[in-house]
Amino acid sequence: MLKTLHKVSSHSSKILARDDGGDVLRYGDLTDHENFWREAIPERSFVILLCENTVPHLGAYIGLHAAGHAILLLPAKISNAHLMQMIETYQAQAVVSVQNGLVRCEQHYVRSEALHPDLSICLSTSGSTGSPKLVRFNDRQLYANAESIAEYLDLTEDEIPLAHLPMEYSFGLSVIHSHMLVGATLLLSNASVMQPQFWENFSEATSLAGVPFHYDMLLRIRLEKRDSKNLRTLVQAGGRLPKDKVLTLHDIASEKGWKFHVMYGQTEAGPRITWLPHSCIPEYPDCIGQPIPGVEVELVNEEMVIKSSSVMMGYAETRADLSEGDVMNGVLYTGDLAEWVDDRFLRIKGRKSRFIKLQGNRVGLQEIEDFFASIDIEVVCKGVDDSLTVFTTSGPKEKISETIIENFSFSPRSFNVVLLDEVPRLSNGKIDYKSLNALGDGGV
Amino acid sequence: MDNVEKLRKAFAEALQISEDVITDDLKYNSIKEWDSVAHMALVAELEDVFDIMLDTDDIIEMSSVMKAREILTKYNVEFS
């Protein structure tokens, strides 16, 4: 799908991607990458690709895919222990990484259970937490979402997106897929908003995608004073951005002649689900917008249920799951509770399950509590998007912080630890979250 | 407290690390505590401690402790 999805000739010298080091990948190079991987790994395999946003990584990704392998994308900065756990759990045949610009392929399991013939790409359910659970996709699902994105954002081959969101993150991957589809040129980057390289790319890019914490930084760094000769579009997803910031960004964009769109998605949906166009923001700044082309949304007891050909095949937790077919049939219960506003746009009212997003990545509060319970430490979590407070009765706080950073890879500044004498409980023994709210400052 | 000490304290506070780790060579992204989220906190802390308002370009150029000293000098913060 990846090699053939775009309308660019396979001999074209058009640039598909350029990275921070100035390395370039052309649409015409893709056949070479495919042939390389056909020889390097002759049999269809389950391959882990350790990702960074560089040209060699993207070349390996497209080449492995075109050569018919099923790929699990993981961050290159993954801990060794977590990587070993993934290799074991899924009996990965190979791990591909890039070191000093050179592609390395390590063989692992020689014989593994069969893969489902349609299985093409697997992503982690959460960008960073220790959970080994995966989301499984086939080509048609990813293609459907890429096509829909290209349609609603009206993408053309003239686009030059700043592709700084990690490629192993579903939102970042969707930026890559949707732009390849139209034959655009990606500015692949690992630079953060706080680095000069980011702004060099920014001055040339036509669009930028970010999660709430990127927009916090962009506002902090006075986006309104920044010029870009090509910029046309800003898009935000990956958690709720407060209404006042949505309006501020809308106003900055209007002033500059840019568009700022708010979007909503979930990895399981391939990932994008709805979008709120720039022009509708002043009237509906707290909405997530309307379904994107090809997606239908229905509210079942307030829960958003989506029907789309981009919904995943299903989850995987064992190697045997990788031989499973599509168990979702295009229907996904999102766990988000929503309502229609003026019969036009959806507004999120809450979550059914205890999930929050931290820097765009999904974090299960229960998962953190369960982890600590397993090492006999009492911990209770509370949070909203981009604000996590971890209450514990067992100090010191630093020890808890270190354990979280080590096991969940959260940014050290993205959560608070609060020490309690006792976890407040209701008379029935359940945790009293209301009292907890009063105890924690919850800020970041 | 002199400015050298104030700077070390500001870094320690913003990055939530021990003052011993803070040397002139310490660079952005070289330790996990100095990521982009911490960088925002660092900027706020420096602005607060030295009562200044950093320009955007200076915020993104501040890639090491050494660089931070150089930049702060532009704002009339003296390091003897």
Side-chain angles (χ1 to χ4, degrees):
Chain A
M1 172 258 326
L2 285 170
K3 194 175 78 83
T4 51
L5 65 62
H6 55 83
K7 296 162 183 90
V8 180
S9 145
S10 60
H11 301 291
S12 170
S13 63
K14 165 113 198 211
I15 294 175
L16 159 59
R18 205 174 67 221
D19 66 19
D20 291 336
D23 207 352
V24 156
L25 181 69
R26 294 175 197 278
Y27 281 92
D29 297 336
L30 299 184
T31 308
D32 289 344
H33 284 277
E34 175 183 351
N35 292 338
F36 174 85
W37 286 108
R38 272 192 201 288
E39 282 189 30
I41 310 176
E43 259 180 65
R44 173 168 155 83
S45 301
F46 190 66
V47 180
I48 292 177
L49 176 63
L50 298 179
C51 301
E52 283 179 85
N53 286 15
T54 75
V55 157
H57 289 92
L58 184 62
Y61 170 58
I62 299 169
L64 280 164
H65 179 274
H69 300 297
I71 313 166
L72 165 58
L73 304 181
L74 293 174
K77 59 172 201 277
I78 189 172
S79 73
N80 228 352
H82 191 187
L83 176 59
M84 290 316 290
Q85 183 193 17
M86 287 294 196
I87 294 170
E88 299 289 317
T89 307
Y90 297 106
Q91 298 168 21
Q93 280 112 320
V95 174
V96 172
S97 59
V98 179
Q99 280 158 20
N100 303 320
L102 295 175
V103 173
R104 287 189 44 176
C105 178
E106 259 175 51
Q107 302 279 345
H108 286 271
Y109 282 81
V110 180
R111 281 183 188 282
S112 298
E113 284 176 68
L115 298 167
H116 191 276
D118 289 346
L119 181 68
S120 109
I121 287 161
C122 290
L123 299 174
S124 167
T125 44
S126 58
S128 56
T129 66
S131 161
K133 195 171 171 184
L134 304 181
V135 172
R136 301 179 286 125
F137 288 107
N138 65 35
D139 282 352
R140 291 182 302 282
Q141 291 155 352
L142 295 170
Y143 185 88
N145 207 244
E147 211 173 27
S148 175
I149 294 166
E151 184 185 333
Y152 80 81
L153 288 178
D154 206 7
L155 301 180
T156 68
E157 60 178 340
D158 301 329
E159 292 290 338
I160 312 170
L162 205 181
H164 70 116
L165 297 173
M167 62 186 268
E168 74 276 9
Y169 173 48
S170 58
F171 186 13
L173 194 63
S174 75
V175 170
I176 293 176
H177 286 167
S178 58
H179 285 87
M180 277 188 72
L181 181 77
V182 297
T185 298
L186 303 155
L187 297 179
L188 279 180
S189 178
N190 293 310
S192 91
V193 175
M194 294 293 171
Q195 291 180 295
Q197 177 71 49
F198 181 93
W199 296 98
E200 269 171 47
N201 290 331
F202 182 83
S203 69
E204 206 186 326
T206 57
S207 70
L208 174 66
V211 304
F213 108 99
H214 293 120
Y215 284 99
D216 281 341
M217 288 194 283
L218 288 165
L219 289 173
R220 181 72 184 74
I221 215 154
R222 294 164 210 125
L223 176 67
E224 67 277 11
K225 289 196 179 159
R226 290 277 153 180
D227 284 316
S228 167
K229 58 182 189 290
N230 298 329
L231 199 74
R232 297 192 284 257
T233 316
L234 301 172
V235 292
Q236 180 267 321
R240 183 192 287 254
L241 188 65
K243 190 163 88 171
D244 56 323
K245 288 184 182 161
V246 168
L247 288 167
T248 304
L249 285 159
H250 168 270
D251 292 350
I252 293 171
S254 298
E255 180 98 348
K256 296 271 194 184
W258 308 335
K259 296 267 196 293
F260 172 67
H261 309 303
V262 170
M263 317 188 300
Y264 162 86
Q266 283 197 353
T267 297
E268 287 86 339
R272 297 195 210 174
I273 298 172
T274 66
W275 77 302
L276 179 68
H278 178 88
S279 60
C280 303
I281 285 178
E283 218 179 327
Y284 302 95
D286 56 352
C287 289
I288 56 164
Q290 63 204 358
I292 66 171
V295 174
E296 279 175 55
V297 173
E298 209 183 308
L299 299 181
V300 178
N301 297 326
E302 294 198 313
E303 181 177 1
M304 276 177 75
V305 179
I306 71 158
K307 285 190 188 145
S308 165
S309 47
S310 67
V311 170
M312 65 174 177
M313 296 171 78
Y315 293 109
E317 289 181 273
T318 63
R319 172 72 191 206
D321 293 342
L322 301 181
S323 62
E324 292 269 303
D326 185 340
V327 298
M328 304 295 288
N329 299 311
V331 179
L332 178 72
Y333 281 72
T334 61
D336 280 324
L337 307 175
E339 62 188 350
W340 288 99
V341 179
D342 297 345
D343 289 328
R344 281 185 79 189
F345 296 124
L346 287 152
R347 177 160 60 205
I348 300 228
K349 295 170 68 181
R351 289 217 177 111
K352 239 178 111 177
S353 46
R354 294 179 63 220
F355 278 109
I356 62 165
K357 295 227 175 167
L358 218 50
Q359 297 184 6
N361 291 316
R362 186 189 317 179
V363 171
L365 302 184
Q366 192 64 46
E367 201 185 321
I368 301 173
E369 292 170 4
D370 291 349
F371 169 80
F372 277 99
S374 75
I375 52 172
D376 286 327
I377 293 177
E378 188 178 33
V379 149
V380 179
C381 298
K382 177 182 83 73
V384 293
D385 284 357
D386 287 316
S387 166
L388 168 65
T389 308
V390 178
F391 297 93
T392 181
T393 49
S394 116
K397 290 197 315 195
E398 291 72 24
K399 181 90 183 68
I400 303 291
S401 286
E402 274 167 30
T403 309
I404 292 174
I405 293 163
E406 205 178 298
N407 290 282
F408 296 93
S409 309
F410 301 158
S411 166
R413 293 289 312 212
S414 64
F415 62 92
N416 276 332
V417 179
V418 175
L419 200 55
L420 300 176
D421 292 334
E422 191 179 6
V423 172
R425 288 184 190 273
L426 300 167
S427 52
N428 61 9
K430 285 190 179 164
I431 292 167
D432 182 358
Y433 283 97
K434 246 189 196 151
S435 306
L436 270 185
N437 280 339
L439 288 168
D441 53 3
V444 174
Chain B
M1 194 171 7
D2 69 6
N3 284 337
V4 176
E5 207 173 316
K6 274 191 187 168
L7 183 70
R8 284 165 70 90
K9 281 217 181 313
F11 266 89
E13 176 65 33
L15 309 187
Q16 295 177 349
I17 53 175
S18 142
E19 283 188 49
D20 314 337
V21 190
I22 301 154
T23 61
D24 273 358
D25 297 338
L26 185 67
K27 287 185 175 63
Y28 177 83
N29 257 353
S30 67
I31 51 170
K32 63 179 182 307
E33 287 84 0
W34 194 354
D35 60 5
S36 48
V37 182
H39 197 76
M40 281 210 291
L42 175 65
V43 168
E45 187 73 21
L46 292 175
E47 290 187 338
D48 197 33
V49 167
F50 294 108
D51 195 20
I52 51 173
M53 184 78 170
L54 289 164
D55 279 345
T56 310
D57 285 328
D58 291 327
I59 293 173
I60 60 183
E61 293 290 341
M62 203 181 291
S63 53
S64 68
V65 176
M66 171 88 95
K67 201 85 188 152
R69 277 161 67 128
E70 272 173 41
I71 287 166
L72 289 170
T73 312
K74 289 200 300 184
Y75 293 82
N76 297 324
V77 177
E78 307 232 338
F79 297 95
S80 49

Short mmCIF file of all heavy atoms in Angstrom, two decimals, chain A residues 116 136 313-314 321 323-328:
data_model
loop_
_atom_site.label_atom_id
_atom_site.label_comp_id
_atom_site.label_asym_id
_atom_site.label_seq_id
_atom_site.Cartn_x
_atom_site.Cartn_y
_atom_site.Cartn_z
N HIS A 116 -1.47 -13.40 10.29
CA HIS A 116 -2.64 -13.27 9.41
C HIS A 116 -2.18 -12.62 8.11
O HIS A 116 -1.40 -11.67 8.13
CB HIS A 116 -3.73 -12.43 10.07
CG HIS A 116 -5.02 -12.50 9.33
ND1 HIS A 116 -5.29 -11.71 8.23
CD2 HIS A 116 -6.10 -13.31 9.47
CE1 HIS A 116 -6.49 -12.02 7.76
NE2 HIS A 116 -7.00 -13.00 8.49
N ARG A 136 -3.79 -3.74 15.82
CA ARG A 136 -3.44 -4.37 14.53
C ARG A 136 -4.18 -3.70 13.38
O ARG A 136 -5.38 -3.45 13.49
CB ARG A 136 -3.84 -5.85 14.53
CG ARG A 136 -3.19 -6.68 15.61
CD ARG A 136 -3.68 -8.14 15.54
NE ARG A 136 -5.05 -8.30 16.02
CZ ARG A 136 -6.03 -8.84 15.33
NH1 ARG A 136 -5.84 -9.28 14.10
NH2 ARG A 136 -7.25 -8.94 15.86
N MET A 313 -8.14 -3.93 12.93
CA MET A 313 -8.55 -5.34 12.90
C MET A 313 -8.87 -5.83 14.31
O MET A 313 -9.72 -6.69 14.50
CB MET A 313 -7.42 -6.23 12.35
CG MET A 313 -7.03 -5.96 10.92
SD MET A 313 -5.51 -6.88 10.48
CE MET A 313 -6.15 -8.54 10.23
N GLY A 314 -8.15 -5.28 15.30
CA GLY A 314 -8.35 -5.70 16.69
C GLY A 314 -7.07 -5.47 17.48
O GLY A 314 -6.10 -4.93 16.95
N ASP A 321 -2.45 -13.89 18.72
CA ASP A 321 -3.39 -12.86 18.25
C ASP A 321 -3.00 -12.29 16.89
O ASP A 321 -3.84 -11.75 16.17
CB ASP A 321 -3.46 -11.70 19.26
CG ASP A 321 -4.08 -12.11 20.59
OD1 ASP A 321 -4.75 -13.15 20.62
OD2 ASP A 321 -3.89 -11.38 21.58
N SER A 323 -2.31 -13.87 14.36
CA SER A 323 -2.86 -14.69 13.27
C SER A 323 -4.37 -14.48 13.13
O SER A 323 -5.00 -15.03 12.25
CB SER A 323 -2.54 -16.17 13.51
OG SER A 323 -3.17 -16.58 14.70
N GLU A 324 -4.93 -13.68 14.03
CA GLU A 324 -6.38 -13.40 14.00
C GLU A 324 -6.74 -12.47 12.85
O GLU A 324 -5.96 -11.61 12.46
CB GLU A 324 -6.79 -12.69 15.29
CG GLU A 324 -6.70 -13.52 16.53
CD GLU A 324 -8.01 -14.25 16.81
OE1 GLU A 324 -9.03 -13.55 16.93
OE2 GLU A 324 -7.99 -15.48 16.89
N GLY A 325 -7.98 -12.61 12.38
CA GLY A 325 -8.49 -11.70 11.35
C GLY A 325 -9.09 -10.45 11.98
O GLY A 325 -8.80 -10.12 13.12
N ASP A 326 -9.96 -9.79 11.20
CA ASP A 326 -10.61 -8.57 11.66
C ASP A 326 -11.76 -8.94 12.59
O ASP A 326 -12.73 -9.56 12.17
CB ASP A 326 -11.12 -7.79 10.44
CG ASP A 326 -11.71 -6.45 10.82
OD1 ASP A 326 -12.08 -6.26 11.99
OD2 ASP A 326 -11.80 -5.59 9.93
N VAL A 327 -11.65 -8.58 13.86
CA VAL A 327 -12.70 -8.92 14.82
C VAL A 327 -13.60 -7.71 15.13
O VAL A 327 -14.53 -7.80 15.91
CB VAL A 327 -12.12 -9.47 16.14
CG1 VAL A 327 -11.34 -10.75 15.90
CG2 VAL A 327 -11.22 -8.43 16.83
N MET A 328 -13.28 -6.56 14.51
CA MET A 328 -14.03 -5.34 14.83
C MET A 328 -15.15 -5.07 13.83
O MET A 328 -16.13 -4.40 14.16
CB MET A 328 -13.08 -4.13 14.84
CG MET A 328 -11.90 -4.24 15.76
SD MET A 328 -12.35 -4.32 17.50
CE MET A 328 -12.87 -2.63 17.78
#
